[in-house]
């Protein structure tokens, strides 16, 4: 029992350290860099890095208490709050960038720069977490964790495709209607929405609906079952963008609402 408690504290400590590390890096970049190009790139890189690293360690935390899903959901809720408060200004999701490009809310070069930063950071975060696990500071920390494919897909491929697409559609469509809510309430509403979607679809597909996050968490599975994971975790949320765009355009015409996201960012679930 004591060992389990120690491992839990270590995993929570790793998440806190990642958030503090990326926060300090953002402050340094803002103070010492004037280039918009570098600021945008680093903002996306650090935001995706924080999201992916915390999600990696969340998987470790879930293994420590598999019989108490309410504990994991509670951590997900508070992590969503932390991400919402600290990742303002970043998108952290390639699908969110594609939507903004489709709505002509940013130039094409800026969109591709953000996507490149996100995908690069997804690999960087995985490498960083493998190094952290190799230190062996917890009984659940070992480098071999990254070698095997622990597939989150527990249903047939067509059903998994629909689950990820539906979760993505619900998230993006609902968040669109949160824009007129005050920020301090909106963050809690979006954190609750993410927690609910993970509760509903987590045991089916993981409820990730973020290609960069999915690639970081399940790179080995992409290597072994590339097309399956490409369809479920890349194509499904991307097609959701096509279905949600008419609703977003209608919202913009009638309510003159802002962009969707937490602050100004859109990040996926865990």
């Amino acid at each position: 029992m004591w060992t389990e408690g120690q491992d839990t504290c270590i995993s929570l400590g790793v998440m806190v350290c990642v958030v503090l590390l990326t926060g300090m890096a953002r402050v340094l970049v803002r103070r010492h860099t004037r280039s918009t190009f570098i600021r945008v790139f680093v903002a996306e890189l650090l935001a995706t890095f924080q999201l992916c690293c915390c999600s990696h360690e969340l998987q470790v935390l879930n293994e420590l208490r598999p019989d108490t899903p309410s504990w994991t959901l509670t951590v997900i809720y508070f992590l969503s709050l932390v991400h919402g408060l600290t990742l303002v200004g970043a998108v952290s999701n390639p699908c969110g960038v594609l939507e903004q490009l489709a709505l002509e809310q940013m130039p094409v070069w800026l969109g591709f720069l953000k996507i490149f930063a996100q995908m690069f950071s997804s690999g960087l975060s995985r490498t960083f977490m493998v190094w952290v696990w190799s230190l062996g500071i917890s009984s659940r920390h070992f480098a071999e964790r990254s070698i095997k494919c622990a597939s989150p897909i527990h249903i047939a491929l067509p059903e998994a495709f629909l689950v990820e697409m539906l979760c993505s559609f619900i998230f993006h469509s609902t968040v669109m209607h949160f824009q007129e809510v005050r920020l301090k309430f909106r963050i809690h509403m979006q954190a609750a929405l993410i927690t609910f979607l993970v509760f509903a679809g987590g045991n089916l597909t993981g409820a990730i609906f973020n290609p960069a996050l999915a690639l970081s968490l399940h790179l080995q599975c992409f290597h072994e079952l590339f097309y399956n994971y490409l369809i479920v975790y890349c194509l499904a949320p991307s097609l959701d963008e096509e279905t949600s765009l008419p609703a977003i355009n209608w919202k913009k015409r009638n309510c003159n609402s802002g962009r969707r996201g937490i602050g100004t960012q859109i990040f996926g679930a865990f």
Side-chain angles (χ1 to χ4, degrees):
M1 185 66 180
W2 173 242
T3 302
E4 180 180 301
Q6 283 183 316
D7 290 342
T8 299
C9 291
I10 289 172
S11 290
L12 292 175
V14 169
M15 295 181 193
V16 172
C17 289
V18 167
V19 173
L20 293 177
L21 178 66
T22 54
M24 289 188 293
R26 280 192 292 270
V27 171
L28 290 174
V29 170
R30 283 197 296 265
R31 287 183 178 179
H32 301 288
T33 304
R34 296 183 179 181
S35 170
T36 302
F37 184 92
I38 296 177
R39 283 193 173 193
V40 169
F41 179 83
V42 174
E44 286 298 332
L45 186 143
L46 291 176
T48 307
F49 181 85
Q50 176 178 314
L51 176 64
C52 292
C53 286
C54 289
S55 299
H56 275 288
E57 196 60 30
L58 183 64
Q59 290 184 326
V60 177
L61 198 61
N62 185 52
E63 293 176 4
L64 293 171
R65 298 188 177 185
D67 299 327
T68 55
S70 59
W71 163 249
T72 305
L73 292 173
T74 301
V75 176
I76 289 174
Y77 178 81
F78 283 104
L79 269 180
S80 299
L81 290 180
V82 171
H83 293 325
L85 291 170
T86 59
L87 303 187
V88 175
V91 182
S92 309
N93 189 334
C95 294
V97 176
L98 291 176
E99 178 195 301
Q100 292 180 13
L101 286 174
L103 294 173
E104 299 181 350
Q105 293 179 342
M106 69 172 64
V108 175
W109 72 266
L110 183 60
F112 281 105
L113 176 66
K114 286 175 174 283
I115 292 176
F116 174 74
Q118 292 162 4
M119 302 309 292
F120 178 76
S121 185
S122 69
L124 181 65
S125 61
R126 182 179 177 87
T127 302
F128 175 78
M129 290 308 298
V130 170
W131 174 76
V132 171
W133 293 335
S134 68
L135 299 178
I137 57 178
S138 166
S139 63
R140 293 284 180 172
H141 283 184
F142 43 89
E144 290 75 15
R145 293 183 59 90
S146 63
I147 297 177
K148 64 178 181 178
C149 170
S151 177
I153 301 177
H154 303 294
I155 52 179
L157 183 63
E159 296 172 350
F161 175 86
L162 291 176
V163 168
E164 281 292 310
M165 184 175 178
L166 182 61
C167 285
S168 182
F169 178 78
I170 293 173
F171 176 75
H172 295 146
S173 299
T174 305
V175 165
M176 176 186 66
H177 295 282
F178 288 167
Q179 297 308 304
E180 298 174 2
V181 180
R182 295 178 62 181
L183 179 62
K184 63 180 181 179
F185 298 121
R186 184 167 74 240
I187 292 176
H188 285 277
M189 294 168 67
Q190 292 173 159
L193 175 61
I194 290 173
T195 305
F196 168 75
L197 291 175
V198 173
F199 171 76
N203 63 332
L204 301 176
T205 63
I208 300 174
F209 51 88
N210 182 333
L213 179 59
L215 184 63
S216 182
L217 293 177
H218 306 292
L219 180 63
Q220 190 62 30
C221 297
F222 270 90
H223 176 71
E224 297 178 8
L225 300 167
F226 177 76
Y227 291 107
N228 289 6
Y229 277 74
L230 182 68
I231 291 172
V232 173
Y233 294 114
C234 297
L235 184 60
S238 298
L239 286 180
D240 156 66
E241 300 303 320
E242 299 299 323
T243 58
S244 61
L245 278 176
I248 294 173
N249 284 321
W250 179 86
K251 182 74 173 179
K252 287 181 64 180
R253 288 194 303 268
N254 291 277
C255 301
N256 194 29
S257 66
R259 292 199 308 256
R260 65 176 184 171
I262 294 182
T264 55
Q265 82 279 1
I266 304 166
F267 53 81
F270 302 90

